[in-house]
């Protein structure tokens, strides 16, 4: 039911804020100098604030997901990511309009949309390279057939194992070509449809295992049985860099 051992733990360590103040050394006042005074200095009268209070976060509609108490790490040798840059929005629509916050679970109904499909198989460490390669192959086939993408790319994980997985890469289109024959190995069908639970991942692809662990914990708590496949929809372009922050919808399909 899960993507093998798909887990990552993120730790955030906050350092204390220290304020330093210097006090000038006392000395003898020169002749003619005004007598010392005990009045507070301007800095003491109007001290600068050492911290600022952040605006409280607002939670959107949906059901908050429980955080797992502990999760194993699929890539224990990975280093902490550098500051993350968020990509711009895409003009292509998602299967269902986005709503809610990153920690919410949305109950949605997926529509069946025509799609160009390419099957693949790869190792976990080569996941991004394999998926992006499949999407490029699909895009080339669509250009050859005179077709255009009508939605965000997605992948359906059809079988997962300890060292790798099988998948179907899909790009929604407006309509399948006449005859419905394959083009350079790319066939035509439809996207998964029906009732689904949407979990939002916001971060690098290396961190997506943590979202799957939270997803699994939520399903266990709610005692929800799902199909042995998950759907990933890439709201932003799929990239493997540790500095690339991604928006990904993960759909679990109840039985």
């Amino acid at each position: 039911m899960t993507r093998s051992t798909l887990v990552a733990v993120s730790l955030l360590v906050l350092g204390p804020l220290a304020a330093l103040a210097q006090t000038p050394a006392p000395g003898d006042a020169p002749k003619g100098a005004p007598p010392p005074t005990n009045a507070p200095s301007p800095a003491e009268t109007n001290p600068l604030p050492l911290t600022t209070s952040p605006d409280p976060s607002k939670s959107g509609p949906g059901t908050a997901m429980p955080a797992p108490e502990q999760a194993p790490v699929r890539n224990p040798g990975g280093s902490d990511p550098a500051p993350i840059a968020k990509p711009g929005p895409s003009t292509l629509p998602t299967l269902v309009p986005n709503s809610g916050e990153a920690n919410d679970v949305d109950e949605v109904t997926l529509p069946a949309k025509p799609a160009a499909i390419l099957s693949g198989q790869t190792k976990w460490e080569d996941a991004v390279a394999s998926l992006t390669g499949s999407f490029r192959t699909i895009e080339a086939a669509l250009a050859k057939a005179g077709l255009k993408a009508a939605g965000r790319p997605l992948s359906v994980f059809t079988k997962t194992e300890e060292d790798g997985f099988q998948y179907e890469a899909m790009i929604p289109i407006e309509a399948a070509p006449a005859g419905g024959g394959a083009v350079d190995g790319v066939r035509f069908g439809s996207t998964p449809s029906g009732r689904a639970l949407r979990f939002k991942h916001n971060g690098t692809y290396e961190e997506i295992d943590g979202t799957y662990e939270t997803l699994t914990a939520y399903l266990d708590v709610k005692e929800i049985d799902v199909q042995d496949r998950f759907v990933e929809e890439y709201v932003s372009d799929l990239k493997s860099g540790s500095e690339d922050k991604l928006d990904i919808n993960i759909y679990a399909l109840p039985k």
Side-chain angles (χ1 to χ4, degrees):
M1 180 179 66
T2 61
R3 297 173 56 190
S4 184
T5 44
L6 299 177
V7 192
V9 175
S10 304
L11 296 178
L12 179 65
V13 179
L14 297 178
L17 177 65
L20 301 178
Q22 294 182 350
T23 303
D28 295 336
K31 284 186 176 182
T37 176
N38 293 327
S41 66
E44 294 172 337
T45 306
N46 299 295
L48 294 176
L50 295 181
T51 60
T52 57
S53 300
D55 293 332
S57 60
K58 299 178 179 179
S59 59
T63 305
M65 294 185 291
E69 296 180 357
Q70 185 177 4
V73 179
R74 191 181 71 185
N75 297 317
S79 58
D80 292 337
I84 293 172
K86 187 174 182 179
S90 169
T91 58
L92 292 173
T94 55
L95 293 174
V96 178
N98 280 316
S99 64
E101 300 294 333
N103 291 329
D104 288 344
V105 182
D106 295 324
E107 294 186 11
V108 300
T109 300
L110 298 177
K113 293 187 176 182
I117 306 170
L118 181 64
S119 299
Q121 181 174 355
T122 189
K123 303 292 185 181
W124 289 114
E125 59 267 23
D126 300 324
V128 174
S130 183
L131 290 171
T132 54
S134 295
F135 293 141
R136 286 194 296 269
T137 299
I138 295 175
E139 290 170 349
L142 292 179
K144 185 175 182 179
L147 301 171
K148 293 183 178 181
R152 295 303 302 167
L154 56 124
S155 58
V156 181
F157 292 82
T158 56
K159 183 178 181 180
T160 60
E161 297 175 341
E162 184 68 24
D163 60 345
F165 61 95
Q166 298 177 12
Y167 65 89
E168 290 183 339
M170 301 183 181
I171 294 182
I173 55 179
E174 292 182 355
V183 177
D184 295 339
V186 175
R187 69 186 190 277
F188 297 92
S190 62
T191 61
S193 60
R195 188 168 65 94
L197 297 174
R198 178 173 59 188
F199 299 76
K200 297 176 69 64
H201 172 71
N202 186 252
T204 68
Y205 199 78
E206 295 174 352
E207 299 169 331
I208 198 171
D209 295 349
T211 303
Y212 272 97
E213 179 67 14
T214 304
L215 178 157
T216 303
Y218 178 89
L219 297 177
D220 289 343
V221 169
K222 298 294 184 179
E223 298 183 347
I224 300 175
D225 291 330
V226 297
Q227 301 177 25
D228 293 331
R229 59 175 182 163
F230 290 98
V231 180
E232 289 182 2
E233 181 182 36
Y234 309 105
V235 183
S236 57
D237 292 338
L238 183 61
K239 298 177 182 179
S240 60
S242 60
E243 298 183 5
D244 293 315
K245 190 172 184 179
L246 307 175
D247 291 326
I248 300 176
N249 291 328
I250 303 174
Y251 298 99
L253 310 175
K255 292 182 179 179

